[in-house]
PDB file of all heavy atoms in Angstrom:
ATOM      1  N   TYR A   1      38.156 -31.794 -88.186  1.00 94.00           N
ATOM      2  CA  TYR A   1      39.142 -30.827 -88.676  1.00 94.00           C
ATOM      3  C   TYR A   1      40.503 -31.494 -88.890  1.00 94.00           C
ATOM      4  O   TYR A   1      41.195 -31.231 -89.885  1.00 94.00           O
ATOM      5  CB  TYR A   1      39.273 -29.659 -87.690  1.00 94.00           C
ATOM      6  CG  TYR A   1      38.379 -28.493 -88.029  1.00 94.00           C
ATOM      7  CD1 TYR A   1      36.991 -28.605 -87.911  1.00 94.00           C
ATOM      8  CD2 TYR A   1      38.891 -27.295 -88.495  1.00 94.00           C
ATOM      9  CE1 TYR A   1      36.152 -27.554 -88.231  1.00 94.00           C
ATOM     10  CE2 TYR A   1      38.066 -26.223 -88.823  1.00 94.00           C
ATOM     11  CZ  TYR A   1      36.703 -26.360 -88.692  1.00 94.00           C
ATOM     12  OH  TYR A   1      35.879 -25.317 -89.025  1.00 94.00           O
ATOM     13  N   LEU A   2      40.884 -32.363 -87.961  1.00 96.00           N
ATOM     14  CA  LEU A   2      42.167 -33.046 -88.097  1.00 96.00           C
ATOM     15  C   LEU A   2      42.158 -33.991 -89.292  1.00 96.00           C
ATOM     16  O   LEU A   2      43.150 -34.097 -90.042  1.00 96.00           O
ATOM     17  CB  LEU A   2      42.478 -33.817 -86.811  1.00 96.00           C
ATOM     18  CG  LEU A   2      43.850 -34.481 -86.741  1.00 96.00           C
ATOM     19  CD1 LEU A   2      44.975 -33.483 -86.975  1.00 96.00           C
ATOM     20  CD2 LEU A   2      44.019 -35.187 -85.394  1.00 96.00           C
ATOM     21  N   LEU A   3      41.051 -34.671 -89.501  1.00 95.00           N
ATOM     22  CA  LEU A   3      40.918 -35.574 -90.640  1.00 95.00           C
ATOM     23  C   LEU A   3      41.040 -34.812 -91.957  1.00 95.00           C
ATOM     24  O   LEU A   3      41.783 -35.216 -92.868  1.00 95.00           O
ATOM     25  CB  LEU A   3      39.573 -36.299 -90.563  1.00 95.00           C
ATOM     26  CG  LEU A   3      39.196 -37.185 -91.757  1.00 95.00           C
ATOM     27  CD1 LEU A   3      40.190 -38.321 -91.924  1.00 95.00           C
ATOM     28  CD2 LEU A   3      37.786 -37.724 -91.581  1.00 95.00           C
ATOM     29  N   GLU A   4      40.321 -33.691 -92.058  1.00 94.00           N
ATOM     30  CA  GLU A   4      40.362 -32.913 -93.298  1.00 94.00           C
ATOM     31  C   GLU A   4      41.751 -32.309 -93.546  1.00 94.00           C
ATOM     32  O   GLU A   4      42.221 -32.252 -94.678  1.00 94.00           O
ATOM     33  CB  GLU A   4      39.304 -31.811 -93.259  1.00 94.00           C
ATOM     34  CG  GLU A   4      37.871 -32.326 -93.282  1.00 94.00           C
ATOM     35  CD  GLU A   4      37.552 -33.059 -94.573  1.00 94.00           C
ATOM     36  OE1 GLU A   4      38.067 -32.663 -95.638  1.00 94.00           O
ATOM     37  OE2 GLU A   4      36.812 -34.049 -94.510  1.00 94.00           O
ATOM     38  N   TRP A   5      42.416 -31.850 -92.479  1.00 95.00           N
ATOM     39  CA  TRP A   5      43.765 -31.301 -92.642  1.00 95.00           C
ATOM     40  C   TRP A   5      44.729 -32.382 -93.133  1.00 95.00           C
ATOM     41  O   TRP A   5      45.567 -32.147 -94.006  1.00 95.00           O
ATOM     42  CB  TRP A   5      44.254 -30.713 -91.326  1.00 95.00           C
ATOM     43  CG  TRP A   5      45.665 -30.187 -91.406  1.00 95.00           C
ATOM     44  CD1 TRP A   5      46.068 -28.993 -91.912  1.00 95.00           C
ATOM     45  CD2 TRP A   5      46.854 -30.871 -90.982  1.00 95.00           C
ATOM     46  NE1 TRP A   5      47.436 -28.877 -91.832  1.00 95.00           N
ATOM     47  CE2 TRP A   5      47.944 -30.016 -91.273  1.00 95.00           C
ATOM     48  CE3 TRP A   5      47.099 -32.110 -90.393  1.00 95.00           C
ATOM     49  CZ2 TRP A   5      49.260 -30.369 -90.979  1.00 95.00           C
ATOM     50  CZ3 TRP A   5      48.407 -32.465 -90.102  1.00 95.00           C
ATOM     51  CH2 TRP A   5      49.469 -31.599 -90.397  1.00 95.00           C
ATOM     52  N   SER A   6      44.606 -33.590 -92.572  1.00 95.00           N
ATOM     53  CA  SER A   6      45.473 -34.700 -92.982  1.00 95.00           C
ATOM     54  C   SER A   6      45.279 -35.016 -94.460  1.00 95.00           C
ATOM     55  O   SER A   6      46.253 -35.269 -95.187  1.00 95.00           O
ATOM     56  CB  SER A   6      45.181 -35.942 -92.126  1.00 95.00           C
ATOM     57  OG  SER A   6      45.420 -35.675 -90.760  1.00 95.00           O
ATOM     58  N   ARG A   7      44.053 -35.003 -94.914  1.00 94.00           N
ATOM     59  CA  ARG A   7      43.791 -35.262 -96.329  1.00 94.00           C
ATOM     60  C   ARG A   7      44.382 -34.162 -97.207  1.00 94.00           C
ATOM     61  O   ARG A   7      44.966 -34.426 -98.252  1.00 94.00           O
ATOM     62  CB  ARG A   7      42.286 -35.358 -96.556  1.00 94.00           C
ATOM     63  CG  ARG A   7      41.679 -36.631 -96.007  1.00 94.00           C
ATOM     64  CD  ARG A   7      40.172 -36.561 -96.093  1.00 94.00           C
ATOM     65  NE  ARG A   7      39.573 -37.850 -95.794  1.00 94.00           N
ATOM     66  CZ  ARG A   7      38.295 -38.023 -95.544  1.00 94.00           C
ATOM     67  NH1 ARG A   7      37.485 -36.980 -95.530  1.00 94.00           N
ATOM     68  NH2 ARG A   7      37.813 -39.223 -95.284  1.00 94.00           N
ATOM     69  N   LYS A   8      44.204 -32.931 -96.748  1.00 93.00           N
ATOM     70  CA  LYS A   8      44.718 -31.797 -97.513  1.00 93.00           C
ATOM     71  C   LYS A   8      46.234 -31.876 -97.654  1.00 93.00           C
ATOM     72  O   LYS A   8      46.808 -31.529 -98.700  1.00 93.00           O
ATOM     73  CB  LYS A   8      44.320 -30.494 -96.811  1.00 93.00           C
ATOM     74  CG  LYS A   8      44.733 -29.228 -97.543  1.00 93.00           C
ATOM     75  CD  LYS A   8      44.269 -28.001 -96.775  1.00 93.00           C
ATOM     76  CE  LYS A   8      44.722 -26.721 -97.455  1.00 93.00           C
ATOM     77  NZ  LYS A   8      44.307 -25.518 -96.694  1.00 93.00           N
ATOM     78  N   GLU A   9      46.898 -32.339 -96.585  1.00 94.00           N
ATOM     79  CA  GLU A   9      48.358 -32.468 -96.594  1.00 94.00           C
ATOM     80  C   GLU A   9      48.822 -33.799 -97.182  1.00 94.00           C
ATOM     81  O   GLU A   9      50.012 -34.108 -97.174  1.00 94.00           O
ATOM     82  CB  GLU A   9      48.892 -32.325 -95.169  1.00 94.00           C
ATOM     83  CG  GLU A   9      48.621 -30.973 -94.535  1.00 94.00           C
ATOM     84  CD  GLU A   9      49.296 -29.837 -95.279  1.00 94.00           C
ATOM     85  OE1 GLU A   9      50.485 -29.980 -95.617  1.00 94.00           O
ATOM     86  OE2 GLU A   9      48.623 -28.805 -95.530  1.00 94.00           O
ATOM     87  N   LYS A  10      47.853 -34.607 -97.643  1.00 95.00           N
ATOM     88  CA  LYS A  10      48.141 -35.921 -98.234  1.00 95.00           C
ATOM     89  C   LYS A  10      48.887 -36.826 -97.247  1.00 95.00           C
ATOM     90  O   LYS A  10      49.816 -37.558 -97.604  1.00 95.00           O
ATOM     91  CB  LYS A  10      48.937 -35.773 -99.534  1.00 95.00           C
ATOM     92  CG  LYS A  10      48.135 -35.059-100.636  1.00 95.00           C
ATOM     93  CD  LYS A  10      48.905 -34.971-101.927  1.00 95.00           C
ATOM     94  CE  LYS A  10      48.035 -34.511-103.080  1.00 95.00           C
ATOM     95  NZ  LYS A  10      47.265 -33.287-102.813  1.00 95.00           N
ATOM     96  N   LEU A  11      48.464 -36.769 -95.994  1.00 95.00           N
ATOM     97  CA  LEU A  11      49.004 -37.632 -94.944  1.00 95.00           C
ATOM     98  C   LEU A  11      48.062 -38.817 -94.735  1.00 95.00           C
ATOM     99  O   LEU A  11      46.898 -38.786 -95.139  1.00 95.00           O
ATOM    100  CB  LEU A  11      49.136 -36.860 -93.630  1.00 95.00           C
ATOM    101  CG  LEU A  11      50.049 -35.641 -93.642  1.00 95.00           C
ATOM    102  CD1 LEU A  11      49.919 -34.879 -92.321  1.00 95.00           C
ATOM    103  CD2 LEU A  11      51.511 -36.054 -93.877  1.00 95.00           C
ATOM    104  N   GLU A  12      48.568 -39.835 -94.068  1.00 95.00           N
ATOM    105  CA  GLU A  12      47.697 -40.941 -93.689  1.00 95.00           C
ATOM    106  C   GLU A  12      46.671 -40.430 -92.678  1.00 95.00           C
ATOM    107  O   GLU A  12      46.919 -39.484 -91.930  1.00 95.00           O
ATOM    108  CB  GLU A  12      48.516 -42.082 -93.077  1.00 95.00           C
ATOM    109  CG  GLU A  12      49.409 -42.791 -94.079  1.00 95.00           C
ATOM    110  CD  GLU A  12      50.086 -43.998 -93.456  1.00 95.00           C
ATOM    111  OE1 GLU A  12      49.754 -44.342 -92.291  1.00 95.00           O
ATOM    112  OE2 GLU A  12      50.949 -44.600 -94.123  1.00 95.00           O
ATOM    113  N   GLN A  13      45.521 -41.080 -92.664  1.00 96.00           N
ATOM    114  CA  GLN A  13      44.473 -40.667 -91.740  1.00 96.00           C
ATOM    115  C   GLN A  13      44.936 -40.813 -90.288  1.00 96.00           C
ATOM    116  O   GLN A  13      45.685 -41.735 -89.961  1.00 96.00           O
ATOM    117  CB  GLN A  13      43.221 -41.500 -91.953  1.00 96.00           C
ATOM    118  CG  GLN A  13      42.545 -41.231 -93.283  1.00 96.00           C
ATOM    119  CD  GLN A  13      41.308 -42.085 -93.460  1.00 96.00           C
ATOM    120  OE1 GLN A  13      40.961 -42.863 -92.585  1.00 96.00           O
ATOM    121  NE2 GLN A  13      40.650 -41.953 -94.589  1.00 96.00           N
ATOM    122  N   PRO A  14      44.499 -39.911 -89.405  1.00 97.00           N
ATOM    123  CA  PRO A  14      44.847 -40.053 -87.988  1.00 97.00           C
ATOM    124  C   PRO A  14      44.365 -41.390 -87.433  1.00 97.00           C
ATOM    125  O   PRO A  14      43.289 -41.873 -87.790  1.00 97.00           O
ATOM    126  CB  PRO A  14      44.093 -38.887 -87.328  1.00 97.00           C
ATOM    127  CG  PRO A  14      43.846 -37.910 -88.442  1.00 97.00           C
ATOM    128  CD  PRO A  14      43.674 -38.727 -89.677  1.00 97.00           C
ATOM    129  N   VAL A  15      45.181 -41.975 -86.569  1.00 97.00           N
ATOM    130  CA  VAL A  15      44.824 -43.238 -85.927  1.00 97.00           C
ATOM    131  C   VAL A  15      44.780 -43.016 -84.416  1.00 97.00           C
ATOM    132  O   VAL A  15      45.722 -42.471 -83.834  1.00 97.00           O
ATOM    133  CB  VAL A  15      45.838 -44.345 -86.269  1.00 97.00           C
ATOM    134  CG1 VAL A  15      45.494 -45.625 -85.520  1.00 97.00           C
ATOM    135  CG2 VAL A  15      45.858 -44.605 -87.774  1.00 97.00           C
ATOM    136  N   TYR A  16      43.689 -43.421 -83.792  1.00 96.00           N
ATOM    137  CA  TYR A  16      43.477 -43.201 -82.365  1.00 96.00           C
ATOM    138  C   TYR A  16      43.637 -44.494 -81.585  1.00 96.00           C
ATOM    139  O   TYR A  16      43.061 -45.521 -81.949  1.00 96.00           O
ATOM    140  CB  TYR A  16      42.076 -42.625 -82.120  1.00 96.00           C
ATOM    141  CG  TYR A  16      41.881 -41.266 -82.728  1.00 96.00           C
ATOM    142  CD1 TYR A  16      41.530 -41.128 -84.079  1.00 96.00           C
ATOM    143  CD2 TYR A  16      42.066 -40.119 -81.979  1.00 96.00           C
ATOM    144  CE1 TYR A  16      41.361 -39.882 -84.652  1.00 96.00           C
ATOM    145  CE2 TYR A  16      41.902 -38.857 -82.545  1.00 96.00           C
ATOM    146  CZ  TYR A  16      41.558 -38.743 -83.878  1.00 96.00           C
ATOM    147  OH  TYR A  16      41.403 -37.510 -84.452  1.00 96.00           O
ATOM    148  N   GLU A  17      44.412 -44.429 -80.528  1.00 96.00           N
ATOM    149  CA  GLU A  17      44.566 -45.566 -79.618  1.00 96.00           C
ATOM    150  C   GLU A  17      43.997 -45.143 -78.276  1.00 96.00           C
ATOM    151  O   GLU A  17      44.486 -44.204 -77.641  1.00 96.00           O
ATOM    152  CB  GLU A  17      46.039 -45.944 -79.470  1.00 96.00           C
ATOM    153  CG  GLU A  17      46.262 -47.115 -78.520  1.00 96.00           C
ATOM    154  CD  GLU A  17      47.738 -47.483 -78.410  1.00 96.00           C
ATOM    155  OE1 GLU A  17      48.424 -47.490 -79.449  1.00 96.00           O
ATOM    156  OE2 GLU A  17      48.179 -47.762 -77.281  1.00 96.00           O
ATOM    157  N   THR A  18      42.940 -45.805 -77.843  1.00 95.00           N
ATOM    158  CA  THR A  18      42.213 -45.397 -76.641  1.00 95.00           C
ATOM    159  C   THR A  18      42.269 -46.492 -75.587  1.00 95.00           C
ATOM    160  O   THR A  18      42.079 -47.661 -75.894  1.00 95.00           O
ATOM    161  CB  THR A  18      40.744 -45.086 -76.982  1.00 95.00           C
ATOM    162  OG1 THR A  18      40.704 -44.059 -77.972  1.00 95.00           O
ATOM    163  CG2 THR A  18      39.978 -44.609 -75.751  1.00 95.00           C
ATOM    164  N   GLU A  19      42.530 -46.076 -74.352  1.00 93.00           N
ATOM    165  CA  GLU A  19      42.547 -47.034 -73.249  1.00 93.00           C
ATOM    166  C   GLU A  19      41.570 -46.606 -72.167  1.00 93.00           C
ATOM    167  O   GLU A  19      41.241 -45.422 -72.052  1.00 93.00           O
ATOM    168  CB  GLU A  19      43.955 -47.183 -72.666  1.00 93.00           C
ATOM    169  CG  GLU A  19      44.583 -45.912 -72.154  1.00 93.00           C
ATOM    170  CD  GLU A  19      45.994 -46.136 -71.644  1.00 93.00           C
ATOM    171  OE1 GLU A  19      46.291 -47.283 -71.262  1.00 93.00           O
ATOM    172  OE2 GLU A  19      46.778 -45.182 -71.621  1.00 93.00           O
ATOM    173  N   GLN A  20      41.129 -47.575 -71.386  1.00 90.00           N
ATOM    174  CA  GLN A  20      40.147 -47.325 -70.340  1.00 90.00           C
ATOM    175  C   GLN A  20      40.697 -47.792 -68.999  1.00 90.00           C
ATOM    176  O   GLN A  20      41.146 -48.923 -68.861  1.00 90.00           O
ATOM    177  CB  GLN A  20      38.836 -48.058 -70.644  1.00 90.00           C
ATOM    178  CG  GLN A  20      37.725 -47.772 -69.645  1.00 90.00           C
ATOM    179  CD  GLN A  20      36.430 -48.461 -70.010  1.00 90.00           C
ATOM    180  OE1 GLN A  20      36.427 -49.479 -70.698  1.00 90.00           O
ATOM    181  NE2 GLN A  20      35.314 -47.923 -69.552  1.00 90.00           N
ATOM    182  N   ARG A  21      40.667 -46.903 -68.025  1.00 81.00           N
ATOM    183  CA  ARG A  21      41.126 -47.251 -66.676  1.00 81.00           C
ATOM    184  C   ARG A  21      40.128 -48.179 -66.004  1.00 81.00           C
ATOM    185  O   ARG A  21      38.918 -47.950 -66.077  1.00 81.00           O
ATOM    186  CB  ARG A  21      41.277 -45.987 -65.811  1.00 81.00           C
ATOM    187  CG  ARG A  21      42.564 -45.263 -65.992  1.00 81.00           C
ATOM    188  CD  ARG A  21      42.812 -44.246 -64.898  1.00 81.00           C
ATOM    189  NE  ARG A  21      41.713 -43.307 -64.697  1.00 81.00           N
ATOM    190  CZ  ARG A  21      41.885 -42.019 -64.409  1.00 81.00           C
ATOM    191  NH1 ARG A  21      43.102 -41.524 -64.324  1.00 81.00           N
ATOM    192  NH2 ARG A  21      40.847 -41.227 -64.210  1.00 81.00           N
ATOM    193  N   ALA A  22      40.621 -49.174 -65.301  1.00 75.00           N
ATOM    194  CA  ALA A  22      39.728 -50.127 -64.650  1.00 75.00           C
ATOM    195  C   ALA A  22      39.018 -49.507 -63.456  1.00 75.00           C
ATOM    196  O   ALA A  22      37.846 -49.790 -63.203  1.00 75.00           O
ATOM    197  CB  ALA A  22      40.518 -51.361 -64.206  1.00 75.00           C
ATOM    198  N   GLN A  23      39.718 -48.634 -62.698  1.00 65.00           N
ATOM    199  CA  GLN A  23      39.142 -48.180 -61.435  1.00 65.00           C
ATOM    200  C   GLN A  23      37.933 -47.279 -61.594  1.00 65.00           C
ATOM    201  O   GLN A  23      36.995 -47.316 -60.783  1.00 65.00           O
ATOM    202  CB  GLN A  23      40.201 -47.475 -60.571  1.00 65.00           C
ATOM    203  CG  GLN A  23      40.770 -46.185 -61.171  1.00 65.00           C
ATOM    204  CD  GLN A  23      42.049 -46.428 -61.944  1.00 65.00           C
ATOM    205  OE1 GLN A  23      42.181 -47.443 -62.619  1.00 65.00           O
ATOM    206  NE2 GLN A  23      42.992 -45.497 -61.828  1.00 65.00           N
ATOM    207  N   ASP A  24      37.906 -46.420 -62.631  1.00 69.00           N
ATOM    208  CA  ASP A  24      36.773 -45.516 -62.784  1.00 69.00           C
ATOM    209  C   ASP A  24      36.179 -45.530 -64.186  1.00 69.00           C
ATOM    210  O   ASP A  24      35.305 -44.725 -64.502  1.00 69.00           O
ATOM    211  CB  ASP A  24      37.163 -44.084 -62.413  1.00 69.00           C
ATOM    212  CG  ASP A  24      38.272 -43.535 -63.306  1.00 69.00           C
ATOM    213  OD1 ASP A  24      38.742 -44.285 -64.185  1.00 69.00           O
ATOM    214  OD2 ASP A  24      38.670 -42.374 -63.105  1.00 69.00           O
ATOM    215  N   ARG A  25      36.677 -46.417 -65.053  1.00 81.00           N
ATOM    216  CA  ARG A  25      36.169 -46.601 -66.408  1.00 81.00           C
ATOM    217  C   ARG A  25      36.319 -45.336 -67.258  1.00 81.00           C
ATOM    218  O   ARG A  25      35.594 -45.142 -68.225  1.00 81.00           O
ATOM    219  CB  ARG A  25      34.699 -47.053 -66.375  1.00 81.00           C
ATOM    220  CG  ARG A  25      34.470 -48.330 -65.607  1.00 81.00           C
ATOM    221  CD  ARG A  25      33.006 -48.707 -65.525  1.00 81.00           C
ATOM    222  NE  ARG A  25      32.437 -48.993 -66.828  1.00 81.00           N
ATOM    223  CZ  ARG A  25      32.547 -50.144 -67.471  1.00 81.00           C
ATOM    224  NH1 ARG A  25      33.235 -51.130 -66.922  1.00 81.00           N
ATOM    225  NH2 ARG A  25      31.986 -50.321 -68.644  1.00 81.00           N
ATOM    226  N   ALA A  26      37.262 -44.479 -66.891  1.00 85.00           N
ATOM    227  CA  ALA A  26      37.532 -43.277 -67.680  1.00 85.00           C
ATOM    228  C   ALA A  26      38.416 -43.625 -68.874  1.00 85.00           C
ATOM    229  O   ALA A  26      39.107 -44.661 -68.882  1.00 85.00           O
ATOM    230  CB  ALA A  26      38.201 -42.216 -66.820  1.00 85.00           C
ATOM    231  N   PHE A  27      38.423 -42.740 -69.881  1.00 92.00           N
ATOM    232  CA  PHE A  27      39.128 -43.010 -71.136  1.00 92.00           C
ATOM    233  C   PHE A  27      40.219 -41.967 -71.391  1.00 92.00           C
ATOM    234  O   PHE A  27      40.076 -40.802 -71.034  1.00 92.00           O
ATOM    235  CB  PHE A  27      38.148 -42.992 -72.315  1.00 92.00           C
ATOM    236  CG  PHE A  27      37.132 -44.105 -72.296  1.00 92.00           C
ATOM    237  CD1 PHE A  27      35.956 -43.973 -71.571  1.00 92.00           C
ATOM    238  CD2 PHE A  27      37.347 -45.281 -72.993  1.00 92.00           C
ATOM    239  CE1 PHE A  27      35.006 -44.983 -71.550  1.00 92.00           C
ATOM    240  CE2 PHE A  27      36.414 -46.303 -72.979  1.00 92.00           C
ATOM    241  CZ  PHE A  27      35.240 -46.155 -72.255  1.00 92.00           C
ATOM    242  N   GLN A  28      41.284 -42.429 -72.057  1.00 95.00           N
ATOM    243  CA  GLN A  28      42.337 -41.537 -72.532  1.00 95.00           C
ATOM    244  C   GLN A  28      42.779 -42.036 -73.904  1.00 95.00           C
ATOM    245  O   GLN A  28      42.951 -43.223 -74.117  1.00 95.00           O
ATOM    246  CB  GLN A  28      43.521 -41.542 -71.567  1.00 95.00           C
ATOM    247  CG  GLN A  28      44.581 -40.497 -71.893  1.00 95.00           C
ATOM    248  CD  GLN A  28      45.728 -40.539 -70.891  1.00 95.00           C
ATOM    249  OE1 GLN A  28      46.379 -41.566 -70.740  1.00 95.00           O
ATOM    250  NE2 GLN A  28      45.963 -39.427 -70.198  1.00 95.00           N
ATOM    251  N   SER A  29      42.943 -41.096 -74.838  1.00 96.00           N
ATOM    252  CA  SER A  29      43.248 -41.476 -76.212  1.00 96.00           C
ATOM    253  C   SER A  29      44.525 -40.807 -76.683  1.00 96.00           C
ATOM    254  O   SER A  29      44.844 -39.679 -76.289  1.00 96.00           O
ATOM    255  CB  SER A  29      42.084 -41.070 -77.127  1.00 96.00           C
ATOM    256  OG  SER A  29      42.302 -41.526 -78.447  1.00 96.00           O
ATOM    257  N   THR A  30      45.257 -41.502 -77.525  1.00 97.00           N
ATOM    258  CA  THR A  30      46.452 -40.974 -78.179  1.00 97.00           C
ATOM    259  C   THR A  30      46.226 -41.034 -79.682  1.00 97.00           C
ATOM    260  O   THR A  30      45.793 -42.065 -80.201  1.00 97.00           O
ATOM    261  CB  THR A  30      47.699 -41.794 -77.810  1.00 97.00           C
ATOM    262  OG1 THR A  30      47.869 -41.783 -76.398  1.00 97.00           O
ATOM    263  CG2 THR A  30      48.945 -41.223 -78.475  1.00 97.00           C
ATOM    264  N   VAL A  31      46.505 -39.927 -80.365  1.00 97.00           N
ATOM    265  CA  VAL A  31      46.332 -39.907 -81.809  1.00 97.00           C
ATOM    266  C   VAL A  31      47.692 -39.848 -82.488  1.00 97.00           C
ATOM    267  O   VAL A  31      48.586 -39.123 -82.049  1.00 97.00           O
ATOM    268  CB  VAL A  31      45.442 -38.724 -82.268  1.00 97.00           C
ATOM    269  CG1 VAL A  31      46.054 -37.374 -81.913  1.00 97.00           C
ATOM    270  CG2 VAL A  31      45.154 -38.806 -83.760  1.00 97.00           C
ATOM    271  N   MET A  32      47.842 -40.638 -83.538  1.00 97.00           N
ATOM    272  CA  MET A  32      49.077 -40.659 -84.334  1.00 97.00           C
ATOM    273  C   MET A  32      48.824 -39.907 -85.635  1.00 97.00           C
ATOM    274  O   MET A  32      47.940 -40.257 -86.416  1.00 97.00           O
ATOM    275  CB  MET A  32      49.493 -42.099 -84.638  1.00 97.00           C
ATOM    276  CG  MET A  32      50.653 -42.215 -85.610  1.00 97.00           C
ATOM    277  SD  MET A  32      52.265 -42.021 -84.841  1.00 97.00           S
ATOM    278  CE  MET A  32      52.468 -43.631 -84.064  1.00 97.00           C
TER     279      MET A  32
END
């Protein structure tokens, strides 16, 4: 949905930056 909205608004595609915690291998992502 976010990808399609970005295209509709003629914006650059969303870019995701994801990191992984060492202690439990869990993930957290930031989208631009």
Side-chain angles (χ1 to χ4, degrees):
Y1 267 68
L2 186 55
L3 174 62
E4 293 296 325
W5 177 80
S6 300
R7 288 172 170 166
K8 183 179 177 182
E9 297 297 314
K10 295 182 169 51
L11 300 172
E12 291 186 7
Q13 292 180 1
V15 176
Y16 296 84
E17 179 179 318
T18 302
E19 58 182 335
Q20 184 177 25
R21 277 194 307 218
Q23 64 266 38
D24 61 359
R25 302 177 64 82
F27 294 85
Q28 188 179 59
S29 185
T30 302
V31 62
M32 172 83 77

